[in-house]
Amino acid sequence: MKFLKDKQTRHDFVTYAMCLVAFAIVFFMQSNHMIPRMIAGQLVPITAYIVMAISLNLVVGIAGDLSLGHAGFMSVGAYTGIVTAVALESVVPSDPIRLAISIVVGAIAAAILGFLIGIPVLRLSGDYLAIVTLAFGEIIKEIVTCLIVGVDSRGLHVIFNITGNSTIDDLHLLEDGTAIIKGAQGASGVSTYSTFLAGAILVMVALVIVLNLVRSRTGRAIMAVRDNKIAAESVGISVTEYRMIAFVVSAALAGAAGALFGGNFSQLSATKFDFNTSILILVFVVLGGLGNMRGSVIAAALLTVLPELLRQFSDYRMLIYAIVLILVMIFTNNPQLKAFFGRVKDRFTSKKEVAADAQ
Amino acid sequence: MSSLTGKSLNPVMNRRSVIASAAGLGAMSILAGCSSNGGDSGSASGDASFKIGTIGPLTGANASYGKSVTQAVELGCKDFSTKELPLVSKAEDDQADGEKAVNAFNTLLDWGMQALVGPTTTGASVAVAAECGNDPETFMITPSASSEDVTKGKDCVFQVCFTDPNQGVNAAKFLAEKYANEKFVLFYNSGDAYSSGIADSFKAQAAKSKLEIVDEETFKDDSATSFTNQLTKAKQAGATMIFAPIYYTPASVLLKNAKDMGYDVKMMGCDGMDGILGVEGFDTSLAEGLLLMTPFSADDEKNADFVNAYKDKYGDTPDQFAADAYDGVHAVVEALKEAGLGVDADPTEVAEKLPEAMLKITVDGLTGKLSWNDKGQVQKDPTAYVITDGKYVQA
């Protein structure tokens, strides 16, 4: 256990352990039917949002690029994932394997798109980058709204409905065919296949990828670019390359999360992945702490459940949600509270050190 | 990035303001508790009531539809309660979103819901219907979700309203019969499942019925504030009648734009246009002569009891959403009687036995004589109304 001596590594392993323990508890409770349906139904979305928060934190917190179009990558992953899963229904009957394939395909599709979008977008920085990513998020949404996709025994059929005049009938599907994406109606009436186990695995994979990336040479280069672009360039770090790495990895993870999310609902329209969803994920990241993956995991889980727990307030639900959000933001940024927690932490660590010295 | 690191934010936060905000929060939750309308409601008190859940957008852009549905379900549960079968209802908000609708549905199941009369919107209903079809099954009847995907492949899911294709076909047939010589422009919301669903089937039937469609215009939710461009194009194409399967809010804008342009054009809508006379700040004289196909009219004599009761309780005139929801509760009660189930029926038992009973019953409801086929779709006669002197008159 020598590697645990390193403070950062220890911190990472605490994060892994925390997630594993949380998942173990949830699995235990689920198998004993101790979870109310309200929470049980949210388990998969929660894991998807956690992966989204982790992936966005890589771009916003580690690479320092404010991206406001992250839900766009999620929708790409969701739709490619659904199309893959439905298209493979006859070839691969096993749901878990199909889910795994659809997650991989969703991640690859989102990564490719992330790369293409990254070429123009990463020439910018700061506020300009934020606005352009926002625009790309909206463009992705509009493009997905134009898609009509169906599958039958002859293969996959796609219409890009730019004029708005085509319908599912224009696919000319055979009798055995199914329409998967129906333009504005979205993917509607598909069977669901996502499971919490898959979500938990995906969260762990995303954590391992992102934390290892951050602690690697590449990660240090990404952070160097974030902290001082000119200094980084002067020591021979390619600014565009490292920002692109962060952006593409982040897009791929968002695509994977989208595929998981898409497989959990029988109906999914492009409007689900609008600007509001992007902002929601950014809220998870900011609340959890920029660059703090553990914080992102906790914030995403709590803030997804919170609106549902507030249902008893009926009409005032979203108002209270907003107030809670404001209060939490203020509290977590309060210098006095920060100092207080700092003192508590110091006391604990110093006690430990004293104990270690005594031995 | 400095704006996000939080360092530029330096909130002045002392102990007093913390306490004040905490107190404010507490006070508000008490207030919220008082005026809560999401709680249990119904004539019967105590535990021994049949629990009917309903879901709809109670906040957000589509809140008026959700309010109509949940209020009518509440009223229906009160009216159809009997000594043997007391009913109690509970409403949950879904903001017309599939994900939130599933959450609302699960919350209702935790409450002990035995049958669901909802959700209100199509996307939400497709998502919830999939959950209802999963083991253990739950019985669901949606008042107003009109896509075929809602009921497809699920035994325990039913609809009170017409399906979208059904509406488009009926409208085209009606127009071919009465307005065969007009030149039509098809005007719809290409970003909306309901609107584009009807438009697609209307187009198909119009080709069969030899209606002349000279132009097709579309819009999306975020551009629904002015339709002057689309109307100008339609006018140039020589259209004399608009077929607009859209909701009433954009329809009111459309009528206003046409009037302002001096474009004298006839217009027909579907059930989503019901409610146009109630749009705030809308000059109802613009709607004179507007045709719409809807199964319910609040001006009809035979519906007076329901309309008055609804007005007394909620202060609004009920629209077709409310009527469909009321009929939904009615259907559940009739089916329960047919199946011989009582208040203590298990939700899975309800889901198992009600579908069979639904095929046997005929409900004499507000929206006509309703019966159901084995696909879960409703069979009832479509009625076209024309707005004359601010009232619906059968066309």
Side-chain angles (χ1 to χ4, degrees), chain B residues 239-259:
Chain B
T240 55
M241 187 160 187
I242 305 174
F243 177 67
I246 55 179
Y247 285 123
Y248 58 75
T249 319
S252 67
V253 179
L254 184 66
L255 284 168
K256 176 96 179 27
N257 287 159
K259 173 86 194 296

Side-chain angles (χ1 to χ4, degrees), chain A residues 349-359:
Chain A
T349 44
S350 60
K351 258 186 198 163
K352 247 189 236 162
E353 272 159 24
V354 172
D357 288 345
Q359 283 175 352

Side-chain angles (χ1 to χ4, degrees), chain B residues 289-340:
Chain B
L290 174 72
L291 274 162
L292 49 111
M293 197 160 249
T294 169
F296 172 75
S297 157
D299 300 322
D300 203 326
E301 275 299 313
K302 71 179 172 65
N303 300 331
D305 284 348
F306 166 71
V307 174
N308 290 335
Y310 190 94
K311 264 187 191 161
D312 283 347
K313 200 152 186 214
Y314 308 109
D316 298 324
T317 309
D319 54 12
Q320 157 254 335
F321 283 87
D324 279 336
Y326 193 81
D327 280 354
V329 178
H330 195 164
V332 170
V333 172
E334 292 293 328
L336 280 173
K337 277 184 203 154
E338 173 77 30

Side-chain angles (χ1 to χ4, degrees), chain A residues 74-93:
Chain A
M74 192 180 180
S75 75
V76 170
Y79 281 97
T80 46
I82 289 172
V83 170
T84 312
V86 177
L88 291 179
E89 208 153 20
S90 52
V91 191
V92 188

Side-chain angles (χ1 to χ4, degrees), chain B residues 255-274:
Chain B
L255 284 168
K256 176 96 179 27
N257 287 159
K259 173 86 194 296
D260 291 348
M261 278 172 60
Y263 181 15
D264 187 24
V265 64
K266 294 190 192 76
M267 187 158 131
M268 170 153 178
C270 287
D271 56 2
M273 214 173 277
D274 181 31

Side-chain angles (χ1 to χ4, degrees), chain A residues 35-42 45 49 60-61 64-66 126-127 138 141-142 145-146 163-169 182-185 187-190 192 261 264-267 271-272 282 286 290 304 308 311-320 323-324 327 330-331 333-336 338, chain B residues 1 4-6 9-11 13-14 18 21 25 28-29 31-33 35-38 58-59 67 92-95 97-107 109-110 122-124 126-127 130-131 134-136 147 149 152 154 188 190-194 196-197 200 203-204 216 218 220 222:
Chain A
I35 304 180
R37 289 249 345 198
M38 188 258 287
I39 303 285
Q42 276 193 299
Y49 283 128
V60 178
D65 292 325
L66 180 56
D127 305 342
E138 292 297 301
K141 192 184 90 182
E142 292 298 319
T145 312
C146 291
T163 52
N165 293 335
S166 312
T167 65
I168 305 151
D169 298 335
K182 305 166 188 177
Q185 299 177 39
S188 164
V190 288
T192 58
F261 186 85
N264 192 47
F265 295 103
S266 164
Q267 198 276 341
T271 46
K272 174 79 212 168
L282 187 65
V286 175
L290 291 174
T304 312
E308 299 308 317
R311 272 196 184 276
Q312 49 175 317
F313 297 115
S314 66
D315 288 357
Y316 299 91
R317 184 160 71 101
M318 294 321 281
L319 185 67
I320 293 174
I323 291 172
V324 170
L327 288 180
I330 292 173
F331 275 126
N333 269 314
N334 187 350
Q336 276 154 337
K338 269 189 181 164
Chain B
M1 276 315 300
L4 267 178
T5 52
L9 273 173
N10 198 2
M13 192 83 185
N14 54 30
V18 173
S21 49
L25 196 65
M28 188 153 48
S29 56
L31 273 178
S35 61
S36 161
N37 66 356
L58 300 175
T59 54
K67 286 236 157 71
E92 286 294 345
D93 182 18
D94 69 355
Q95 294 167 315
D97 175 87
E99 186 193 352
K100 296 196 180 80
V102 172
N103 291 339
F105 171 71
N106 284 324
T107 308
L109 282 180
D110 285 338
T122 298
V126 175
E131 296 292 313
N134 281 349
D135 202 41
S147 162
D149 286 331
K152 201 160 86 187
K154 287 142 216 149
Y188 63 99
S190 59
D192 181 63
Y194 162 81
S196 49
D200 289 350
K203 241 186 303 183
E216 236 177 73
T218 61
K220 289 206 170 125
D222 41 11

